[in-house]
């Protein structure tokens, strides 16, 4: 994975393996980070020097609410890596995650079948 601005021959940056960014972790500590969840950075009074550059990039990219999928695109991080780094930021209070009502309460099968039947009737 290329990180922008570090002089990589293709102009994309230095090569960093995803497991290096996540400390070898393959799963986020939280499972509630859906692609459509909205993420927003929490303003901090002092800078947190223990954060990695990727964490700072994520925080800059979500100064205004943005979906997890869009955040992955903006930061050029693989979705799995982003979810792990986001869960770190969430655990430490650096970001807030808002999920849609659809994610919390999905319709039951009977309701979905009724909708499909009515669409077909049109």
């Amino acid at each position: 994975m290329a990180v922008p601005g570090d002089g990589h021959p293709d102009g994309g940056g230095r090569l960093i393996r995803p497991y290096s960014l996540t400390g070898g972790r393959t799963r986020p500590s939280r499972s509630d980070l859906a692609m459509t969840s909205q993420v927003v950075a929490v303003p901090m009074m002092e800078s947190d020097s223990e954060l990695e550059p990727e964490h700072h990039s994520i925080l800059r990219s979500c100064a205004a609410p943005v979906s997890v999928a869009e955040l992955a695109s903006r930061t050029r991080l693989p979705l799995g890596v982003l979810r792990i780094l986001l869960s770190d930021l969430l655990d430490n209070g650096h970001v807030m995650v808002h999920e849609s009502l659809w994610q919390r309460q999905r319709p039951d099968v009977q309701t979905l079948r009724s909708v499909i039947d009515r669409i077909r009737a049109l």
Side-chain angles (χ1 to χ4, degrees), residues 62-117:
C62 66
V66 62
S67 71
V68 171
E70 177 64 22
L71 195 54
S73 174
R74 288 183 185 181
T75 59
R76 295 181 169 177
L77 291 169
L79 188 58
V81 170
L82 178 72
R83 283 183 171 150
I84 292 169
L85 297 178
L86 267 179
S87 68
D88 293 344
L89 291 170
L90 189 58
D91 290 343
N92 293 320
H94 294 290
V95 296
M96 292 188 318
V97 176
H98 304 281
E99 60 186 38
S100 68
L101 181 60
W102 175 260
Q103 289 171 273
R104 284 182 268 164
Q105 183 180 3
R106 295 182 186 220
D108 59 75
V109 174
Q110 184 61 31
T111 302
L112 292 174
R113 285 189 179 136
S114 174
V115 169
I116 290 171
D117 290 341

Side-chain angles (χ1 to χ4, degrees), residues 14 16-17 26 48 53 55 60 71 80 91 102 105 107 116:
R14 61 189 156 103
I16 297 178
R17 299 287 179 206
T26 59
D48 198 340
H55 289 117
R60 280 191 305 275
L71 195 54
D91 290 343
W102 175 260
Q105 183 180 3
I116 290 171

Side-chain angles (χ1 to χ4, degrees), residues 3-64:
V3 175
D6 286 335
H8 195 268
D10 66 2
R14 61 189 156 103
L15 186 65
I16 297 178
R17 299 287 179 206
Y19 63 83
S20 299
L21 297 174
T22 64
R25 293 171 294 157
T26 59
R27 298 197 191 284
S29 61
R30 297 176 171 256
S31 61
D32 57 350
L33 294 172
M35 288 177 47
T36 57
S37 295
Q38 296 291 305
V39 180
V40 64
V42 174
M44 294 292 181
M45 295 304 284
E46 71 262 356
S47 79
D48 198 340
S49 59
E50 66 187 38
L51 294 177
E52 298 294 327
E54 292 77 21
H55 289 117
H56 287 290
S57 174
I58 292 169
L59 291 172
R60 280 191 305 275
S61 297
C62 66

